[in-house]
Amino acid sequence: MPAIRNARKKNKFEPSSSQASRKQRAHLTVRPGENVHDKQVAMSTDDAYKSSKLADAQTPISPVPVAQQQLPMTPLTSSSSPSMAPTAKPLKGRKRFSADLHELHTSCPSDLDRGTWSAQSFRAGDDDGSVEFDLIESRDRTRIVMHLLCSDTSEYPNTHSFFCHSPEPGSYGEQLKEICDGVLNDSPGTIHDVAKHFLISISGDDDSEDDHSYDMTADEDL
């Protein structure tokens, strides 16, 4: 029974061959005043248009290749060139003073060892701008503590002065006093320059004329 009802419904909605034939005849019916040839040409044109539309709908559309875009090359100019890192300025004043003292404290230069005498153990003193170091005699291990005081660390290393003395000079009292006077009256120099001057003077090293020049003006152009 359900199959019969479904068949009836199908027949109801699907046109029979007789109905299609009647529609075709009605479509082909020529009204009074119409030309049979024109009617047939119009039907053929309409059928060809429908067939063309159906073929276009069934034909797959191939993708259109997208052209690769090329960005224009921009020439480098003075304004577009990468900026160079600025050169670091040399330290001056208190920063330079602290940096020099730190360098001597961590790694004593080889030219501060003259064989007989050497300058060692550089350290900050009790007062601001003061430095202490030891003069060591290699034969009998004599140890002389030297105190340096910078007149103004903000002017280091160009226009300052160094005051120096030794609290216990031992048998080298007169010699060290003369060295201290020479340091005070000489041109400004670095902590390293002063220590080297002490070594040259106390050891009486005459091996090189350059050692006796004691040029403390090397940093004046900084």
Side-chain angles (χ1 to χ4, degrees):
M1 294 299 292
I4 297 173
R5 286 197 297 269
N6 292 337
R8 289 176 180 175
K9 290 180 180 181
K10 182 177 181 181
N11 293 332
K12 181 180 180 180
F13 291 103
E14 291 183 357
S16 62
S17 58
S18 60
Q19 291 175 342
S21 176
R22 285 196 300 270
K23 287 182 179 181
Q24 185 175 6
R25 287 197 300 270
H27 188 65
L28 294 175
T29 303
V30 180
R31 294 183 180 89
E34 289 184 339
N35 190 308
V36 177
H37 177 72
D38 294 340
K39 186 73 172 180
Q40 292 177 348
V41 170
M43 291 177 57
S44 300
T45 304
D46 185 61
D47 293 341
Y49 175 76
K50 291 181 180 180
S51 300
S52 176
K53 295 292 289 184
L54 180 61
D56 292 342
Q58 294 177 350
T59 302
I61 301 175
S62 59
V64 179
V66 180
Q68 185 177 3
Q69 297 182 355
Q70 294 183 354
L71 298 178
M73 300 297 292
T74 303
L76 289 177
T77 61
S78 57
S79 59
S80 61
S81 58
S83 58
M84 301 297 293
T87 305
K89 296 182 179 180
L91 296 177
K92 292 183 179 181
R94 184 180 296 274
K95 291 183 178 180
R96 171 69 184 274
F97 181 87
S98 300
D100 287 354
L101 178 58
H102 177 75
E103 182 178 0
L104 291 172
H105 175 73
T106 55
S107 57
C108 191
S110 58
D111 62 345
L112 294 184
D113 186 353
R114 311 292 295 185
T116 303
W117 288 89
S118 62
Q120 305 176 14
S121 304
F122 287 83
R123 54 200 180 272
D126 296 332
D127 300 324
D128 184 34
S130 62
V131 179
E132 297 179 6
F133 67 93
D134 299 338
L135 290 174
I136 305 296
E137 208 278 343
S138 61
R139 291 173 296 186
D140 56 9
R141 305 303 298 172
T142 298
R143 176 175 175 267
I144 302 175
V145 179
M146 296 303 305
H147 291 193
L148 304 179
L149 178 62
C150 182
S151 59
D152 190 347
T153 55
S154 64
E155 298 177 350
Y156 181 90
N158 297 327
T159 58
H160 67 288
S161 298
F162 267 121
F163 303 94
C164 51
H165 75 283
S166 175
E168 298 180 1
S171 59
Y172 296 92
E174 288 296 325
Q175 187 176 3
L176 290 177
K177 185 179 182 302
E178 293 180 2
I179 298 174
C180 290
D181 291 341
V183 171
L184 180 60
N185 297 324
D186 228 316
S187 301
T190 63
I191 305 172
H192 177 272
D193 294 333
V194 174
K196 186 175 181 180
H197 176 67
F198 267 96
L199 288 178
I200 294 172
S201 301
I202 199 171
S203 63
D205 188 357
D206 296 332
D207 292 342
S208 174
E209 185 67 23
D210 293 337
D211 290 341
H212 287 276
S213 62
Y214 181 44
D215 183 9
M216 284 190 170
T217 62
D219 293 324
E220 287 184 357
D221 56 341
L222 296 179

